[in-house]
């Protein structure tokens, strides 16, 4: 990929992920500012499933007549409009905003890797995915910390949401200028037959693994303020530790991980994630809080792009975009659907019960990683 265009993709992804990170504090805004219940706020967020499914399933068909950069720019504009709805409306419009948040972020998050992979060979995929994912996580991890800092200085959260709108609009302009001369053409591919092929192949395992990992990730990111309040901790420590350990992992540790068997590396990283989740349960002070937060950042930060690579590494270049689209769909169903289930768990079983479910999901992810290792070592 042209180096200048790659930088534009990374910058645009960073700006939209920063806005996305602000939206990770949406449950806090809805419960504290709008005085909605935690379950109701999760219902609003879960509306994103409708938007994300509709937008991602539409992408292969829209790409037949509209270029990737234009669709990505539209996704950023939709996201900005959704945040504005949250700020300036109420009632049923909050549910519409939740739907649009899913649609906008689904488009951006799906097309980012597609733009990167359009000129990447198989050997470059993991490294390129590491970079684009790092910029996504940098924005998403830093913005909740900034929100917390501003709230401590009695600055209204509404102003941060306004800033997120501006960043999304700016990202839309950047994406619009990313014109690819050799876009992968998936116009001859239909998404449903490809999904049937995936379900009956080894590619279904990474699809399940990313779903389980995303359930863990979004629970920790969206409801960290609940955990921190229960344990009398500063949730900014989690976001700072998680983000910087993730960046360290992707920019420094990744080059060592990529030299190993990727299937074995995934198993090891998921075990580290399991240890991190268990350590959260025994965390009692802000200093120790850094340890599980950092371990989670390292493990999830490295395992996600490895799973993504497993999904497409044996796929012809012209088919990668539609496989990545389906991969994103699995990820987003978890990201927008699981928070509602997690909030119900918090409401009935408390923090302990909810964490035990997350630990179970991580164990299940390890089982699927072992299955993948077994298939590739036959």
């Amino acid at each position: 990929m042209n180096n200048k265009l790659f930088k534009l993709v990374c910058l645009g992804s960073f700006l939209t992920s920063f806005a996305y990170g602000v939206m990770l504090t949406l449950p806090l805004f809805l419960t504290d500012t709008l005085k909605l219940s935690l379950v109701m706020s999760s219902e609003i967020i879960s509306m994103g499933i409708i938007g994300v499914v509709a937008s991602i399933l539409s992408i292969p068909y829209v790409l037949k007549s509209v270029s990737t950069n234009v669709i990505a720019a539209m996704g950023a504009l939709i996201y900005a409009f959704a945040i504005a709805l949250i700020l300036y409306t109420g009632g049923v419009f909050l549910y519409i905003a939740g739907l649009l948040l899913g649609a906008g972020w689904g488009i951006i998050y799906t097309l980012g890797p597609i733009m990167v992979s359009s000129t990447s060979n198989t050997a470059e995929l993991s490294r390129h995915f590491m970079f684009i994912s790092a910029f996504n996580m940098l924005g998403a991890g830093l913005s909740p910390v900034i929100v917390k800092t501003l709230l401590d200085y009695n600055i209204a959260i509404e102003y941060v949401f306004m800033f997120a709108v501006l960043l999304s609009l700016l990202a839309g302009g950047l994406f619009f200028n990313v014109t690819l001369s050799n876009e992968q053409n998936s116009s001859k591919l239909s998404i449903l037959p490809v999904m049937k092929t995936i379900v009956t192949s080894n590619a279904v395992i990474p699809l399940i693994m990313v779903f389980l990992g995303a359930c863990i990730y979004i629970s920790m990111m969206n409801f960290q303020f609940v955990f921190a309040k229960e344990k009398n901790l500063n949730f900014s420590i989690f976001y700072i530790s998680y983000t910087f350990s993730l960046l360290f992992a992707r920019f420094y540790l990744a080059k060592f991980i990529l030299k190993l068997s990727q299937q074995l590396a995934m198993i090891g990283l998921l075990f580290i994630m399991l240890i991190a989740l268990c350590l959260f349960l025994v965390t009692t002070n802000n200093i120790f809080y850094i340890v599980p937060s950092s371990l989670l950042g390292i493990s999830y930060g490295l395992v996600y792009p490895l799973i993504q690579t497993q999904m497409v590494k044996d796929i012809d270049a012209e088919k990668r975009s539609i496989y990545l689209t389906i991969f994103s769909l699995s990820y987003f169903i978890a990201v927008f659907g699981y928070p509602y289930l997690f909030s119900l768990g918090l409401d009935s079983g408390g923090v302990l019960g909810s964490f035990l479910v997350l630990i179970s999901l991580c164990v299940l992810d390890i089982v699927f990683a072992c299955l993948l290792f077994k298939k590739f070592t036959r």
Side-chain angles (χ1 to χ4, degrees):
M1 175 178 286
N2 180 286
N3 190 48
K4 180 181 177 181
L5 296 181
F6 181 73
K7 289 178 181 179
L8 287 178
V9 174
C10 289
L11 181 57
S13 297
F14 170 75
L15 294 178
T16 49
S17 65
F18 192 97
Y20 171 77
V22 171
M23 289 297 100
L24 290 175
T25 63
L26 184 58
L28 183 64
F29 173 75
L30 295 174
T31 54
D32 286 8
T33 303
L34 300 186
K35 305 303 179 184
L36 303 178
S37 69
L38 190 62
V39 172
M40 186 175 293
S41 67
S42 297
E43 289 175 354
I44 292 170
I45 295 171
S46 294
M47 286 295 295
I49 290 181
I50 301 173
V52 79
V53 169
S55 63
I56 291 179
L57 290 180
S58 300
I59 284 175
Y61 303 100
V62 179
L63 281 173
K64 295 177 182 180
S65 54
V66 183
S67 62
T68 305
N69 62 313
V70 173
I71 301 173
M74 289 171 58
L77 295 180
I78 291 171
Y79 204 77
F81 181 66
I83 301 174
L85 279 181
I86 292 170
L87 278 172
Y88 301 112
T89 64
V92 70
F93 289 103
L94 292 176
Y95 289 88
I96 296 174
L99 185 152
L100 293 176
L101 285 175
W105 184 239
I107 292 170
I108 297 162
Y109 199 84
T110 300
L111 293 183
I114 289 175
M115 286 189 281
V116 170
S117 70
S118 62
T119 55
S120 299
N121 57 45
T122 303
E124 295 175 318
L125 281 176
S126 292
R127 185 168 62 90
H128 285 180
F129 286 154
M130 290 278 185
F131 279 121
I132 192 70
S133 297
F135 279 98
N136 281 331
M137 291 311 306
L138 178 62
L142 287 180
S143 47
V145 178
I146 295 174
V147 172
K148 176 66 165 60
T149 303
L150 294 175
L151 291 178
D152 289 342
Y153 282 95
N154 296 318
I155 296 176
I157 195 172
E158 289 89 337
Y159 292 114
V160 188
F161 279 31
M162 292 177 190
F163 184 58
V165 171
L166 293 176
L167 290 182
S168 297
L169 294 174
L170 179 58
L174 292 174
F175 284 133
F176 187 76
N177 285 283
V178 181
T179 53
L180 301 174
S181 59
N182 56 338
E183 292 191 56
Q184 295 167 359
N185 189 354
S186 300
S187 61
K188 295 182 180 180
L189 296 174
S190 178
I191 196 167
L192 291 179
V194 173
M195 288 182 71
K196 291 178 181 178
T197 301
I198 290 174
V199 170
T200 57
S201 69
N202 290 337
V204 72
I205 298 179
L207 205 62
I208 296 171
M209 289 180 66
V210 73
F211 174 83
L212 295 172
C215 289
I216 297 170
Y217 160 76
I218 198 61
S219 299
M220 298 302 294
M221 296 296 279
N222 259 4
F223 297 98
Q224 195 60 217
F225 76 96
V226 177
F227 172 78
K229 187 176 181 180
E230 170 99 359
K231 296 275 189 174
N232 197 26
L233 302 170
N234 182 351
F235 69 75
S236 292
I237 292 175
F238 166 80
Y239 289 108
I240 292 172
S241 302
Y242 175 89
T243 301
F244 283 101
S245 62
L246 183 147
L247 294 175
F248 172 74
R250 286 185 175 170
F251 286 117
Y252 181 73
L253 296 180
K255 59 185 177 183
F256 301 106
I257 294 294
L258 293 176
K259 295 177 182 178
L260 305 174
S261 162
Q262 293 196 8
Q263 292 79 32
L264 277 177
M266 285 191 296
I267 295 172
L269 290 167
L270 287 170
F271 267 111
I272 294 174
M273 186 185 297
L274 179 62
I275 293 170
L277 291 173
C278 293
L279 289 177
F280 273 110
L281 291 177
V282 297
T283 298
T284 56
N285 61 72
N286 285 322
I287 299 298
F288 188 76
Y289 196 16
I290 297 172
V291 176
S293 303
S294 299
L295 289 177
L296 185 66
I298 291 171
S299 56
Y300 187 77
L302 290 174
V303 81
Y304 179 87
L306 291 180
I307 296 172
Q308 195 173 37
T309 302
Q310 293 301 309
M311 180 76 180
V312 298
K313 72 171 193 168
D314 296 321
I315 304 302
D316 295 337
E318 65 271 12
K319 296 181 181 179
R320 283 180 187 160
S321 63
I322 199 163
Y323 271 70
L324 287 171
T325 298
I326 296 170
F327 184 88
S328 294
L329 181 61
S330 178
Y331 170 84
F332 277 117
I333 289 174
V335 164
F336 287 100
Y338 192 72
Y340 177 67
L341 298 178
F342 190 79
S343 69
L344 293 178
L346 280 173
D347 201 41
S348 59
V351 168
L352 176 60
S354 298
F355 259 82
L356 291 177
V357 173
L358 294 183
I359 289 170
S360 300
L361 293 178
C362 189
V363 171
L364 190 57
D365 222 359
I366 293 172
V367 171
F368 279 107
C370 292
L371 287 175
L372 197 61
F373 174 72
K374 185 177 179 180
K375 286 181 178 292
F376 277 93
T377 54
R378 283 178 179 176

